[in-house]
Amino acid sequence: MRSLLARTLLLAAAIVLAATGTATAQPADLMAKVVVIGVPGLTWSDVQASPELTALVNKSHVGSISVKTAGPHTCPIDGWLTISAGTRAWGNVPDQPCGDLPAVTDGKITGWQTYVDRQAEHHTGAPIGRLGVSRDRVCGFGPGAAIAVAKTDGTVANWSPEFDDSKLASTACGDAIVDAGAMPLREGRDEARKHVADLVAQARAAGGWVLLVGVGQETADAHQQTLVAMQLPPDNGPRWLTSDSTRRPGMIQLTDITATVLRGEAKPVDPAGSEKAGPLDGAEIHFTGDLHTNAAAVIEDRLDANQRFEQPRPVLFAVALTIVGAEVLALVWFLIRRSPTSRRTAVFALLVQGGFFIAVFLAQATVWWRWPSPAFSLYAVTIGISVLSAAVAQVFLKRYAYLGLALAAYLLLLVDGVLGTPMQVGSMFADGPVIGGRFYGFGNSTFATLAVGALVTAGWAAQKLLDKSRVQAALAVLAIGGAAIVVDGKPGWGTDFGGIIALTPAVLLMAWLTWKGTISLRALIGVGVAGVLAVSVVAFLDYLRPPEQRSHFGTFVARLLDGDVSDVLIRKLQMAVQFFSGPAGWLMLVAVVLLMLATVLPNRVPSESYREFYGSLPMVRPTLLALSTCGLVGMLLNDAGVALPAIMAGFAVPLLVAHLMASRQPATVSPESHLVQES
């Protein structure tokens, strides 16, 4: 529901949660035998309900694992195929139950070619079979493990249908994958938990370095959540699992399992289709953070974390409905009454929507997921901060309240980016671990907020300097916009490749218009080329880093140089066009196009106040054109598609309308004071 995403900002620096602190470390002596015990549907509630599993907590590095794969659901088959490929794979048929795992017949997975074809059909680029051909003497035990260790042609060697501890302890097994079976939905769950604990004990007795992980949900309609991840024995005492692919303490993802078994080194394997296999999506698992010695507290922390990841999306709809509903009522009242009170009420309701773009991020500072009734707590906190932000801006800045909210959003996200984006974890604007989106950095909605805040702030600053020097005004645009580009794009900060592609040309265009006042076709082409070069340099520099340290930028360049970029582009295109499967997407597109046209053809807009505003000051036009440019480029080149400019509009348009309405209120000051002095 990205179309509903639209509201955020304003924080203090104390949100540098202690959760992210402390040094990371790789196990000093990774044992020769890594044993992965996979259990579809193993939740932290299972650990809490099982004395045997609870007893493992203080003996393990612990965390949660995101089991999102390529398809809409992660059935057991999807999880095992993803471990096989080291990248997200697609196993289940959409809109159908998960079904049983395929059997092994005459040393080969039954129907293996079906799964190979499915990767090509959905453009996953997943080279299923990579684990089996890349790791010598890898053993498999159980049906799911057969899928994980199968070779590219579906053949299975060194596999047993049941767990065999004597074989595991022998030299025949280097590493091993064990399928402990999916957790039963109701009856027999207690026995299944004890069985899992027994398998861990047997694997440890066989000399294994054990990874106990959930590998998928039990059924296609199962409650979507992050699952259990434990690593035994712990190095230097029990701490928190993490990886370079998530960069979050206590969080790993399914593809990290393959990278850990392979020690980050995979053989080149031809995936489904004609493309070459891309790099591993995951990274080796290591540990970070402080010691944990209280199993009950650790389990409660993991359950709270699931609330943090699960609640934002459904609560977003309720918050958006509340704010938009209040706006509609306030505007209808104003249109009927046209009184000063109704005007002030409508202006305030519009500012509340702007305040939402602050509240989305500041809500994380309240630790709402630990409160009673987390969903309602998040709803109440978000509405409260939205209203408070609007009230503070209106009381102290009056007609320039819009500027205060935009500036607050800009500064807040700059701070958040530099601190490693702690405010993104569990926010309404983050595609979190359950959805399998970003684990770190800025997502599309956050970028949209930052872009609006940066461009409006840059326009205001340039207007202040314009009479003094056009060069200084243009430099102010470059400085303010450039700071947003750096924070948004820098690996380890915003790490947002698509964002800097959209924001860079917008900032350059705005700076040129500030400097020259107009732009020729040649200059416009030059601005576009400069933007492309700037983004390319950032991506190439990231590519030069070691593979395990690359962000999305460097990984994209690596795929491009390897000729493995077509599937990625096709998947992003599919994501962009998915909004047009219903009328809502087309309505968004029409609205976005009309708003962009309003910035180019202001005299055609049927609003006298807008036409006056457009010509009131020199920086209004460059700012509005920069906003349209950013939205247009983002819509065309970003996987968010039309949702990106729609989110930008959700922040910018209410602020603009609020300002226009406030500027027309009767006042006792000079007539020219109603004109905006910021763009």
Side-chain angles (χ1 to χ4, degrees), residues 372-603:
S373 185
F376 178 75
S377 298
L378 176 58
Y379 173 84
V381 163
T382 306
I383 293 292
I385 297 176
S386 302
V387 172
L388 180 61
S389 300
V392 170
Q394 193 171 49
V395 168
F396 289 99
L397 298 176
K398 305 201 182 319
R399 293 176 180 175
Y400 305 115
Y402 79 97
L403 175 63
L405 293 173
L407 177 61
Y410 170 68
L411 295 177
L412 180 60
L413 289 179
L414 288 188
V415 172
D416 185 45
V418 171
L419 295 179
T421 65
M423 286 185 290
Q424 305 305 311
V425 185
S427 86
M428 293 179 182
F429 280 1
D431 291 333
V434 175
I435 299 170
R438 280 184 170 270
F439 294 93
Y440 58 90
F442 289 162
N444 294 319
S445 303
T446 301
F447 164 73
T449 303
L450 175 63
V452 172
L455 294 174
V456 171
T457 301
W460 167 78
Q463 183 62 50
K464 289 292 186 182
L465 294 170
L466 205 58
D467 290 339
K468 183 178 181 181
S469 167
R470 278 192 171 272
V471 172
Q472 290 184 20
L475 290 175
V477 171
L478 291 175
I480 294 170
I485 291 169
V486 170
V487 171
D488 181 61
K490 185 180 183 300
W493 290 3
T495 323
D496 182 19
F497 191 27
I500 63 171
I501 291 176
L503 187 55
T504 300
V507 170
L508 292 176
L509 173 65
M510 187 176 180
W512 184 279
L513 289 171
T514 303
W515 179 34
K516 294 291 188 180
T518 186
I519 189 169
S520 64
L521 178 60
R522 176 184 294 181
L524 187 62
I525 295 173
V527 165
V529 171
V532 171
L533 288 176
V535 172
S536 301
V537 168
V538 172
F540 185 72
L541 289 176
D542 189 47
Y543 165 73
L544 295 179
R545 303 197 303 171
E548 67 276 7
Q549 297 179 18
R550 292 173 187 160
S551 67
H552 308 293
F553 306 151
T555 300
F556 180 83
V557 173
R559 289 183 181 274
L560 184 64
L561 295 177
D562 290 341
D564 180 44
V565 77
S566 61
D567 281 332
V568 176
L569 296 177
I570 290 173
R571 289 200 304 273
K572 289 185 176 294
L573 179 61
Q574 289 174 336
M575 293 174 65
V577 301
Q578 69 180 351
F579 294 100
F580 302 114
S581 59
W586 292 103
L587 289 174
M588 269 200 300
L589 179 62
V590 170
V592 163
V593 170
L594 289 176
L595 289 172
M596 290 179 180
L597 288 175
T599 67
V600 180
L601 304 170
N603 293 330

Side-chain angles (χ1 to χ4, degrees), residues 28-47:
D29 182 23
L30 188 64
M31 299 182 68
K33 197 185 298 288
V34 176
V35 182
V36 177
I37 300 178
V39 192
L42 182 64
T43 68
W44 280 102
S45 296
D46 288 312
V47 177

Side-chain angles (χ1 to χ4, degrees), residues 45-372:
S45 296
D46 288 312
V47 177
Q48 186 179 51
S50 168
E52 295 84 3
L53 293 176
T54 298
L56 297 177
V57 173
N58 285 342
K59 303 175 183 178
S60 310
H61 296 315
V62 300
S64 299
I65 183 169
S66 168
V67 295
K68 180 68 176 71
T69 53
H73 304 291
T74 302
C75 291
I77 181 64
D78 299 87
W80 293 116
L81 285 171
T82 294
I83 291 177
S84 169
T87 61
R88 292 178 179 178
W90 191 313
N92 191 47
V93 178
D95 302 321
Q96 290 190 14
C98 286
D100 296 329
L101 295 175
V104 177
T105 305
D106 297 328
K108 186 173 183 178
I109 303 294
T110 303
W112 179 261
Q113 188 59 42
T114 300
Y115 300 113
V116 173
D117 294 341
R118 197 157 291 160
Q119 310 316 306
E121 176 186 355
H122 295 288
H123 304 283
T124 68
I128 56 176
R130 173 154 56 183
L131 175 61
V133 301
S134 297
R135 195 65 179 164
D136 295 332
R137 295 186 303 114
V138 61
C139 289
F141 301 95
I147 298 167
V149 303
K151 300 186 184 302
T152 53
D153 60 358
T155 58
V156 178
N158 214 5
W159 173 79
S160 303
E162 302 288 342
F163 180 72
D164 184 344
D165 56 349
S166 61
K167 181 178 179 180
L168 177 62
S170 71
T171 57
C173 282
D175 300 310
I177 311 293
V178 181
D179 178 5
M183 296 298 293
L185 293 180
R186 294 180 184 82
E187 295 183 6
R189 201 158 182 121
D190 288 339
E191 291 77 6
R193 295 166 182 147
K194 189 174 185 309
H195 171 63
V196 170
D198 289 342
L199 281 178
V200 171
Q202 293 176 63
R204 289 288 298 111
W209 186 85
V210 177
L211 277 169
L212 173 63
V213 292
V215 297
Q217 311 296 346
E218 314 96 306
T219 61
D221 59 352
H223 176 60
Q224 303 293 304
Q225 59 184 307
T226 56
L227 301 179
V228 170
M230 296 189 199
Q231 176 237 299
L232 303 87
D235 260 11
N236 303 323
R239 300 175 191 268
W240 299 91
L241 293 176
T242 187
S243 77
D244 289 341
S245 73
T246 67
R247 305 185 187 183
R248 298 292 184 196
M251 180 58 60
I252 62 173
Q253 61 174 326
L254 197 56
T255 52
D256 295 335
I257 302 301
T258 314
T260 301
V261 174
L262 295 179
R263 281 58 161 184
E265 298 181 359
K267 293 182 179 179
V269 176
D270 289 334
S274 59
E275 303 297 333
K276 296 166 65 176
L280 294 167
D281 281 349
E284 290 185 67
I285 297 167
H286 53 269
F287 62 85
T288 188
D290 298 326
L291 289 169
H292 64 76
T293 56
N294 185 328
V298 169
I299 295 170
E300 195 63 36
D301 176 86
R302 293 296 86 197
L303 293 172
D304 286 344
N306 268 348
Q307 290 291 334
R308 186 178 187 180
F309 301 140
E310 294 170 32
Q311 296 300 340
R313 276 305 178 89
V315 173
L316 171 61
F317 180 81
V319 171
L321 192 63
T322 301
I323 292 176
V324 172
E327 281 179 309
V328 170
L329 291 175
L331 289 170
V332 168
W333 184 34
F334 167 71
L335 292 174
I336 294 174
R337 296 295 302 274
R338 299 282 180 171
S339 65
T341 300
S342 65
R343 182 187 293 270
R344 286 193 296 270
T345 302
V347 169
F348 183 75
L350 291 165
L351 292 176
V352 169
Q353 179 160 329
F356 170 81
F357 284 85
I358 295 170
V360 164
F361 305 116
L362 281 184
Q364 309 312 305
T366 67
V367 198
W368 56 265
W369 54 92
R370 295 178 182 168
W371 295 13

